[in-house]
Amino acid sequence: PPPPRRANGTATMPDASAAEAGTQQRAWSKLRPTTRVVVLGLYFLDLLAVALVVPLLQTYFHAAGVDSARMSLISSLYSGAQIVGGLVMGSLADSISRRTVLLVSFLGSIVSYAMVGLTSSVRLLLASRVLVGLVKQTGTISEGLLTELSPGEELAAQLSRMGSLATVAFIVGPSVGAVLYKTSPALPALAAAAVFVVNMALAVALLPASPPRPRAASAARGRSAWGDLREVVSSPALWRQLAVSATVGFLMRALSSSHVLGYYEERFGVESYQRGFIASAAGAVAFVAQTFLVGPSVQWLGGEAPALRAGLALTAASAVVEAASPNVWAYLVLAMPLATVASSVIGASSRALLTKSTPKSHVGKVLGAYGVISAALGLASPIAGAALFGWSGVGGVGWAKAAGYAAGAGVVAAP
């Protein structure tokens, strides 16, 4: 047959690079089911490694002589590194290869967590947090890979599996980390680094390279976060709901007891390694709440808006119970389950309200804008929390949390 012609009548030749990209795309499509399993497995191992260390992280800094005020600055610096890393690594993932960026993330995590286990220097511990903040984009990259690999009707199920795997990792990991820490403080971080080594090897061996993406689309995606933010704030209705979600997110971060170094040790007399067991217990309660309680609770309360207000009120009540708890068992049996269930209701209701108030054609833009705002608030929330709890003292943490959540409930309820 004659070659195809342009509108001006001149003949055109097939684009070799386009043909090659099409061949790669077809090969990639055939690997989808197996590759989805690989991605989910890598994601689970990644979070399991993180869960070995994160509940004990402030213990490492406390042992190095860092106080609560400086720890809040370190947390803010980590959030800033995450913002920069998210923009840079996301752009690289779109323009180069998600597999390559995932390998860089694993490599940076190996170095960062090995530093935590091998040093007690504050400077090196700080450098480890900045490094992991810059490169640790495993969740985002994994979600992007699953989006590429999953047909539209299967994507929600795949993302739900990601959430389930994250919950399981944070049930198992903290307890294992606690046992390792009791044996030797260096072991949880070194074990995490070893898991990242295994993950990197598995990714090299099992994860195929994804096909190239068009440069124009990559550039558009790189610019979208800031453009989406400008578009969202120009809509009063969306802006109000976005402000409510951001306020709730800020409260949940700022009023976390993690901003008080040695809180559980000083308040309840527990050993540092037992923080891991407390984190595992909270993860188990969260799993039950998210699976069985959140949906019926939202329906029983009459929708997401009243459920959000009720969740904030219940969190304030749990903080009062925490303040009145005479020992760690009272906290674990009464205060912690209340707070965890309330947090699950708050998270689900806030997210649902935001997406329901958004036209379907703008959901991606709104969620992208919320991601930018949430990351920015992550810079301020640790400092605000440390200042509040520094004023209240360890004994007043529960009362300060109760007041903060009660105020938040009032702000959310305001017209």
Side-chain angles (χ1 to χ4, degrees), residues 174-195:
S175 290
V176 175
V179 173
L180 293 175
Y181 188 91
K182 187 177 181 181
T183 304
S184 169
L187 278 181
L190 295 180
V195 173

Side-chain angles (χ1 to χ4, degrees), residues 40-406:
L40 289 172
L42 295 174
Y43 177 71
F44 173 74
L45 288 176
D46 178 88
L47 284 185
L48 183 64
V50 171
L52 291 173
V53 177
V54 166
L56 301 167
L57 193 60
Q58 66 169 238
T59 304
Y60 288 102
F61 280 94
H62 197 192
V66 175
D67 58 19
S68 295
R70 285 200 290 172
M71 189 67 201
S72 68
L73 294 175
I74 291 170
S75 298
S76 295
L77 189 60
Y78 171 73
S79 295
Q82 280 190 308
I83 295 174
V84 175
L87 293 172
V88 174
M89 299 287 277
S91 176
L92 289 175
D94 282 339
S95 60
I96 303 176
S97 163
R98 299 194 198 282
R99 178 179 181 270
T100 301
V101 174
L102 197 62
L103 293 175
V104 171
S105 179
F106 289 150
L107 179 61
S109 299
I110 292 168
V111 176
S112 174
Y113 281 79
M115 290 169 68
V116 173
L118 296 175
T119 185
S120 58
S121 163
V122 175
R123 290 183 178 180
L124 290 179
L125 287 173
L126 176 60
S128 75
R129 297 308 292 160
V130 172
L131 172 61
V132 80
L134 289 172
V135 303
K136 193 76 174 65
Q137 303 295 326
T138 313
T140 302
I141 301 303
S142 298
E143 186 172 339
L145 281 168
L146 288 177
T147 301
E148 284 185 351
L149 292 163
S150 304
E153 66 275 9
E154 296 181 16
L155 180 57
Q158 296 297 329
L159 297 182
S160 177
R161 291 188 181 99
M162 283 185 68
S164 299
L165 290 173
T167 302
V168 172
F170 274 89
I171 292 173
V172 176
S175 290
V176 175
V179 173
L180 293 175
Y181 188 91
K182 187 177 181 181
T183 304
S184 169
L187 278 181
L190 295 180
V195 173
F196 284 122
V197 171
V198 172
N199 235 11
M200 189 170 183
L202 290 173
V204 170
L206 301 177
L207 189 64
S210 56
R213 281 166 289 278
R215 290 184 177 271
S218 299
R221 280 191 290 269
R223 294 191 299 266
S224 64
W226 302 110
D228 294 346
L229 181 59
R230 287 193 298 269
E231 184 174 345
V232 167
V233 298
S234 65
S235 168
L238 285 180
W239 167 245
R240 184 188 183 284
Q241 192 55 59
L242 195 64
V244 168
S245 297
T247 299
V248 170
F250 178 82
L251 283 173
M252 300 298 289
R253 290 188 182 192
L255 298 178
S256 169
S257 302
S258 64
H259 300 312
V260 184
L261 284 178
Y263 172 70
Y264 292 107
E265 294 88 337
E266 186 174 342
R267 175 69 175 81
F268 299 116
V270 303
E271 298 290 335
S272 294
Y273 73 90
Q274 292 175 325
R275 297 175 64 92
F277 296 130
I278 294 173
S280 286
V285 174
F287 179 78
V288 173
Q290 292 163 1
T291 305
F292 302 107
L293 300 179
V294 171
S297 297
V298 171
Q299 290 181 357
W300 181 73
L301 290 166
E304 287 85 359
L308 179 59
R309 294 191 291 269
L312 288 167
L314 184 59
T315 307
S318 73
V320 173
V321 176
E322 178 181 338
S325 295
N327 53 53
V328 69
W329 291 110
Y331 168 76
L332 290 174
V333 172
L334 298 174
M336 186 273 287
L338 282 176
T340 304
V341 171
S343 176
S344 299
V345 171
I346 290 169
S349 300
S350 176
R351 194 78 164 185
L353 283 170
L354 183 60
T355 53
K356 280 188 173 182
S357 63
T358 305
K360 290 185 177 181
S361 59
H362 287 66
V363 168
K365 294 180 179 181
V366 171
L367 293 180
Y370 179 72
V372 173
I373 293 174
S374 180
L377 290 176
L379 295 171
S381 55
I383 298 174
L388 176 63
F389 296 144
W391 170 79
S392 70
V394 171
V397 165
W399 300 112
K401 290 166 69 173
Y405 282 116

